[in-house]
Amino acid sequence: MPISLEKIERDAPRLIDLAKKADISILKANLTNHQAKVALCLDISGSMSFLYSSGKIQTLAEKILALGCRFDDNGSIDIFLFGQNPHRVGEMTLGNFQDFIPNIEQQHRLEAGTYYGKVMKMIRKFYFPEGNGDSRDSPFAADEPIYVMFVTDGATSDEEETQNQLKWSSFEPIFWQFMGIGKPRKDVSGEGLSGFVGKALATDFSFLEKLDEMKGYTDNATFFNVEDPESISDDELYDILMAEYPTWVKFAYSKKLLQ
């Protein structure tokens, strides 16, 4: 069972309103008393600099922690980073959340590169070590699902590996919620210099859209985009995070991925 709201209010009062809002979205999704492990996977490529320095990533991480507390009795979420290389940096908890992102910024400088596939392999290996993050073509069952919130502001340099990782992970009880931050290139209009500059500054999320549409053993990935993580209300964010996940959970049970 998730930790109580009373414990959250006592140990981390800053998160109590977020936890209550997450509860509302969970209730609407018919996932009350649902157990899952929540992970947050964060892009640390150089273009993410302002999102970190402005505190926007810390704020987003707190929102994901509040959701994790409603799914997990440990009151924590696992944090992974990716840029040129993948990193696992431990757990964000009710006890250490307030300065968690600034602290990991000091330990992990932004990197010149973006590789989704490398960190997806690390995450799969961490939760399902017997598979080593390698290819899989038959169902693997576990007691609880893994919900991965995957945050990036750009395209990956290892598209083939990423697609393979997503395909192989469709045989495992793991759900990928991809969140793109930035203005999509397809939404930029205008001619001449302004149009050229606008498209140059925008982001091509077409590959993430392709991942959303990929079909494997299960449909275990979805994608949404925001120009700014703080431009979306907490209620709307949690509703989006609970939009496709409940359907996947039912399907995962029917496919014997959850027991």
Side-chain angles (χ1 to χ4, degrees), residues 16-30:
I16 187 62
D17 287 341
L18 291 171
K20 289 178 179 178
K21 291 174 180 177
D23 266 357
I24 293 172
S25 296
I26 290 169
L27 177 62
K28 290 191 291 187
N30 293 317

Side-chain angles (χ1 to χ4, degrees), residues 185-210:
R185 190 168 297 167
K186 67 179 183 179
D187 292 348
V188 177
S189 60
E191 302 295 333
L193 180 60
S194 62
F196 174 80
V197 171
K199 289 183 179 180
L201 295 175
T203 304
D204 183 2
F205 289 120
S206 59
F207 181 68
L208 285 170
E209 293 172 346
K210 181 178 180 178

Side-chain angles (χ1 to χ4, degrees), residues 60 64 149-153 177-181 205 208 222-226 228-230 232 237 241:
L60 177 62
I64 305 306
M149 181 70 179
F150 195 106
V151 180
T152 183
D153 74 335
Q177 173 66 75
F178 292 98
M179 175 182 179
I181 300 178
F205 289 120
L208 285 170
T222 188
F223 163 72
F224 74 103
N225 163 242
V226 293
D228 185 312
E230 294 185 356
I232 184 172
L237 175 65
L241 300 188

Side-chain angles (χ1 to χ4, degrees), residues 111-123:
E111 299 178 358
T114 307
Y115 289 82
Y116 300 171
K118 291 180 182 180
V119 75
M120 291 173 75
K121 180 182 176 75
M122 172 181 277
I123 291 170

Side-chain angles (χ1 to χ4, degrees), residues 120-121 123-125 128 133-142 145-146 148 161-176 178 211-222 247-258:
M120 291 173 75
K121 180 182 176 75
I123 291 170
R124 291 180 58 229
K125 183 177 180 180
F128 313 115
D134 294 329
S135 64
R136 194 188 290 278
D137 59 7
S138 60
F140 177 83
I146 312 300
V148 182
E161 175 66 9
T162 299
Q163 291 180 84
N164 284 334
Q165 287 294 326
L166 184 58
K167 178 179 66 177
W168 298 333
S169 73
S170 72
F171 291 94
E172 299 164 343
I174 184 168
F175 182 85
W176 305 91
F178 292 98
L211 295 183
D212 187 359
E213 296 168 358
M214 273 184 62
K215 297 296 186 290
Y217 183 70
T218 59
D219 183 6
N220 65 332
T222 188
T247 300
W248 172 83
V249 168
K250 293 178 182 178
F251 203 57
Y253 275 109
S254 72
K255 290 286 191 175
K256 310 300 183 185
L257 297 181
L258 292 170

Side-chain angles (χ1 to χ4, degrees), residues 3-17 19-20 94-95 97-98:
I3 62 175
S4 67
L5 290 174
E6 290 75 18
K7 178 175 175 57
I8 296 174
E9 188 164 27
R10 182 182 67 248
D11 296 348
R14 195 159 100 191
L15 299 182
I16 187 62
D17 287 341
K20 289 178 179 178
L94 296 181
F97 78 93
Q98 296 194 42

